[in-house]
Amino acid sequence: MFVQEEKIFAGKVLRLHVCAFDGAEWLEEATEDTSVEKLKERCLKHCAPGSLEDPKNVTHHKLIHAASERVLSDAKTLLEEHVQDEDVILLIRKRAPAPLPKMAEVSAEEKNKQEQRAPDRDAIFRATASLPSHNMDRAVVQTSARDFQTELRKILVSLIEVAQKLLALNPDAVELFRKANAMLDEDEDEHVDEAALRQLTEMGFPETRAAKALRLNHMSVPQAMEWLIEHAEDPTIDTPLPGPASQGEVGAEAAPAAGTSEEEEGRDELTEIFRKIRRRREFRADARAVISLMEMGFDEKEVIDALRVSNNQQNAACEWLLGDRRPSPEELDKGIDPESPLFQAILDNPVVQLGLTNPKTLLAFEDMLENPLNSTQWMNDPETGPVMLQISRIFQTLNRT
């Protein structure tokens, strides 16, 4: 007797409870090695005779394992899908995909989205133009919420002018500032940016010429390089600059100037010292930051302006160049309005009044204008710290109100 091979090696027979999408229920027997697709065809043949004539009907249905709530894969067997005897299987019709929208429907949908979009600022102002104002203007709120570091520079510029007028009346101020001026001369004449000097020497320029060019161009590498190229044939290019380091070398030139010095003896020495200190405020851009920002495509003048506004902070300078460029470089040396309530409150404070008569306070103000990072140092100083603390408190008090 001939027996089919599949009958000999058939797997375990499973009795499955099948529930169709129309509510029909029946018991279906299948071996473990039966594919899910074959079981689905048998179920469709049972509940919908003739449905197999259209092959798409098989792909439009799916079998779901009720206990685990998962869809059975057509390519796997019942054993691979871990279907057990007496399990419940659901025969479900797949949800038909949504038809592609027509052009008219797409236009209508886009129009609906436009109508539901939130109004912009201009639309809000137009819609509320006729309404009475109950709250203060937002622009005023933003302006009043000023940043202390931004306003501090304006305050310092105005306070320096007041301090100079007060100190001009103090006979002891001349001697004090004469000593301070000597210290400033040493720092100013001897200081050369080592990184900038290294860049120029690596280009082939002699170190003495490179140092002179940097001092003449406020440590700007691009400007110093242009100066070196322009004065390459100048016979006086190696002549040292006047200063403490070259007093012996320029002694011969000092004699003709003796008469000039005698004519200038009548000039107010304190005023000259003030001018000397003020010249220290001339900005010196960081050479490496200038090169980095210029490599991004910005003009050199724009880069220097950005670094000046941002106190040589490269990241902040880049944001300034890419933003609205506020504040402008011209605004840096403008003081605060002398008639403003803030400045009047500062001048009326007794601690500030006393501090303005101290030459060290003026030096501190000038130093903070030149290098804002030194503000912390002066805040911790026993002489200038109380003045800075009062200015900060007055600013915060008026800013909140």
Side-chain angles (χ1 to χ4, degrees), residues 17 185 280 305 309 338 381:
H17 298 274
D185 283 339
R280 281 174 49 83
D305 288 344
V309 172
D381 187 273

Side-chain angles (χ1 to χ4, degrees), residues 167-353:
L167 290 171
L169 304 176
N170 187 347
D172 298 329
V174 175
E175 183 62 27
L176 293 174
F177 276 108
R178 186 182 297 139
K179 296 179 181 178
N181 189 31
M183 296 174 61
L184 296 179
D185 283 339
E186 293 177 4
D187 295 338
E188 199 171 77
D189 291 329
E190 297 297 331
H191 174 72
V192 175
D193 191 325
E194 294 183 0
L197 181 62
R198 190 183 309 112
Q199 292 182 31
L200 291 176
T201 54
E202 289 176 354
M203 296 178 188
F205 297 107
E207 183 175 349
T208 54
R209 292 187 183 183
K212 179 179 179 179
L214 288 171
R215 289 174 58 192
L216 290 173
N217 293 277
H218 309 296
M219 302 302 152
S220 171
V221 173
Q223 295 179 10
M225 183 173 62
E226 292 181 4
W227 184 90
L228 287 168
I229 296 174
E230 292 176 359
H231 296 78
E233 304 299 330
D234 191 342
T236 61
I237 188 173
D238 293 320
T239 303
L241 293 175
S246 58
Q247 290 298 327
E249 301 177 11
V250 296
E253 299 179 3
T260 306
S261 300
E262 294 177 359
E263 295 176 0
E264 294 178 353
E265 287 179 355
R267 184 176 298 179
D268 186 355
E269 186 175 359
L270 186 58
T271 303
E272 288 301 311
I273 295 175
F274 287 157
R275 290 177 181 176
K276 175 66 176 179
I277 297 175
R278 186 175 296 274
R279 281 198 297 272
R280 281 174 49 83
R281 263 196 253 164
E282 295 179 359
F283 177 70
R284 297 173 179 176
D286 182 81
R288 286 166 290 186
V290 171
I291 294 175
S292 298
L293 293 172
M294 288 182 64
E295 289 177 350
M296 299 180 186
F298 296 109
D299 182 75
E300 181 181 356
K301 183 180 183 305
E302 295 177 335
V303 170
I304 294 177
D305 288 344
L307 291 172
R308 184 183 178 211
V309 172
S310 58
N311 301 317
N312 267 332
Q313 302 297 317
Q314 182 175 333
N315 292 338
C318 185
E319 293 179 2
W320 185 88
L321 288 167
L322 297 174
D324 58 1
R325 302 193 176 187
R326 295 290 181 181
S328 65
E330 292 75 16
E331 296 175 0
L332 294 180
D333 293 328
K334 291 183 179 179
I336 193 173
D337 182 7
E339 302 299 329
S340 65
L342 173 60
F343 192 63
Q344 292 297 324
I346 292 174
L347 290 183
D348 291 341
N349 186 277
V351 177
V352 177
Q353 292 177 356

Side-chain angles (χ1 to χ4, degrees), residues 92-128:
I92 305 295
R93 184 188 299 272
K94 292 181 180 180
R95 182 177 300 175
L100 295 176
K102 299 179 180 179
M103 291 301 299
E105 296 176 353
V106 173
S107 300
E109 184 178 358
E110 288 296 328
K111 183 178 180 181
N112 187 32
K113 288 182 179 180
Q114 291 288 344
E115 292 176 353
Q116 294 179 355
R117 182 177 297 176
D120 56 15
R121 181 177 179 180
D122 294 336
I124 294 175
F125 284 158
R126 288 195 300 268
T128 60

Side-chain angles (χ1 to χ4, degrees), residues 24-42:
E25 298 182 15
W26 70 93
L27 192 65
E28 189 75 36
E29 292 185 355
T31 59
E32 290 179 329
D33 56 356
T34 302
S35 67
V36 174
E37 185 177 13
K38 181 64 69 173
L39 177 61
K40 184 166 53 173
E41 292 177 356
R42 290 166 56 179

Side-chain angles (χ1 to χ4, degrees), residues 14 35 47 77 84 113 150 225 260 269 295 309 323 339 356 358 368 373 397:
L14 304 177
S35 67
C47 69
T77 64
Q84 305 294 327
K113 288 182 179 180
T150 303
M225 183 173 62
T260 306
E269 186 175 359
E295 289 177 350
V309 172
E339 302 299 329
L356 292 178
N358 185 352
M368 283 186 285
L373 298 179
T397 301

